[in-house]
Amino acid sequence: MQAIPSILTIAGSDSGGGAGIQADLKTIHAHGCYGLSVITALTAQNTRGVTGIHAPPAEFVAKQLETVLADIDVAAAKTGMLFSAEIIRAVAWGLRDVAFPLVVDPVCVAQSGDQLLQDSAVSAMKTHIFPRATLLTPNIPEAELFSGLKIESSKDVFAAMRALLDLGPKAVLIKGGHMREGEQVTDWLGLPDGKIVSLPMPRVGGESRHGTGCTLSAAIASNLGLGLSMEDAVRRSQEFLNAAIRESFPVGKGSGPVNHLVAGQWGQRIKAS
């Protein structure tokens, strides 16, 4: 039997099921991988917003991570909502000796606009998590926050890319969904050799945007765990997310989730190609 890669998500729980741990595990499964989880926070959340956040002690987050890594061979991992400086430091310490790829989605704000990262945790992310990242995946507002630069053009993207790479991640994917480019959305991938790759995709309409960042980063981690190169992993994950948005269906009364079941046999398609 062919080995099934184990992919770890370190993130918050979304009780509405469209983002966070729930979106990550659905995405990992859709790619034919086995999902593991370390939960950093519980959210009371639906498609309309976040009404409450409860974070466990950082020591318990560290215990989850230590316990998983002591038993299971992880092929790749991703981080999502880390919430506090204390949890960030605990996660960074737990990942200090790992050799597998780490995708860092620096989650700051939910699709609804609710804050998911404490203000005091911003510097901790840059100091403790970014240097451990194989790939950092900020959207435009997150790239502005962590780089300190305003992004209004592709020239600004390149400047922010350099600033973010200087913080220690091996590669950076700046997601361009917040920029208005007509019929296309462009992401930019900055690679370790200094090359910046422009990755355009068709813009998909509709209101189902909840969990897109979580889904993309979990897909990239899964594809890296399956052995794809960084650029190929990102391209495949873009295709998956684009299809998941295109084939979404209504859930709730707010910003609904993408359709993680979009390609039922997505994992087999990847392995066969």
Side-chain angles (χ1 to χ4, degrees):
M1 180 178 176
Q2 186 174 2
I4 296 175
S6 293
I7 310 299
L8 171 63
T9 169
I10 305 168
S13 169
D14 172 7
S15 55
I21 288 286
Q22 288 81 354
D24 292 344
L25 292 176
K26 292 171 189 177
T27 300
I28 292 166
H29 181 73
H31 283 76
C33 300
Y34 179 73
L36 313 167
S37 64
V38 169
I39 298 178
T40 59
L42 303 177
T43 68
Q45 185 173 177
N46 57 28
T47 63
R48 292 183 290 185
V50 180
T51 61
I53 298 174
H54 174 73
E59 294 79 10
F60 189 72
V61 175
K63 177 60 70 176
Q64 292 178 73
L65 181 56
E66 175 189 3
T67 302
V68 170
L69 295 180
D71 179 50
I72 301 171
D73 291 330
V74 173
K78 65 147 289 186
T79 64
M81 176 187 179
L82 297 181
F83 186 60
S84 71
E86 294 77 15
I87 289 174
I88 287 167
R89 287 192 289 268
V91 169
W93 177 255
L95 295 173
R96 66 194 181 281
D97 294 325
V98 302
F100 51 75
L102 176 66
V103 178
V104 173
D105 181 12
V107 176
C108 298
V109 178
Q111 187 73 31
S112 60
D114 296 290
Q115 186 168 336
L116 299 177
L117 182 72
Q118 292 180 338
D119 292 337
S120 60
V122 172
S123 61
M125 283 287 290
K126 293 195 287 187
T127 301
H128 299 289
I129 296 295
F130 287 10
R132 303 188 187 281
T134 308
L135 177 68
L136 178 68
T137 65
N139 58 31
I140 294 291
E142 291 161 350
E144 291 179 330
L145 172 66
F146 289 109
S147 71
L149 301 173
K150 187 68 177 174
I151 300 174
E152 296 178 336
S153 68
S154 58
K155 182 179 178 181
D156 298 333
V157 169
F158 299 149
M161 182 77 74
R162 289 190 291 271
L164 292 171
L165 286 167
D166 285 345
L167 294 174
K170 293 183 177 65
V172 174
L173 178 71
I174 296 181
K175 300 173 292 188
H178 288 79
M179 294 184 74
R180 295 302 171 192
E181 299 177 303
E183 299 302 313
Q184 284 195 147
V185 176
T186 301
D187 298 340
W188 292 269
L189 175 62
L191 294 167
D193 61 4
K195 177 183 177 184
I196 298 179
V197 182
S198 175
L199 302 170
M201 290 289 289
R203 184 179 292 276
V204 182
E207 299 300 320
S208 295
R209 293 289 187 273
H210 187 51
T212 51
C214 305
T215 299
L216 181 65
S217 55
I220 295 170
S222 299
N223 281 314
L224 290 173
L226 287 164
L228 275 66
S229 70
M230 179 62 72
E231 187 172 340
D232 287 344
V234 171
R235 289 184 184 276
R236 291 289 185 96
S237 301
Q238 278 187 314
E239 292 170 5
F240 176 78
L241 178 60
N242 196 268
I245 296 172
R246 192 168 57 247
E247 299 188 26
S248 61
F249 53 91
V251 175
K253 299 177 178 65
S255 178
V258 303
N259 182 1
H260 298 96
L261 303 178
V262 60
Q265 301 299 315
W266 192 267
Q268 284 65 35
R269 286 173 55 189
I270 289 173
K271 291 175 183 177
S273 60

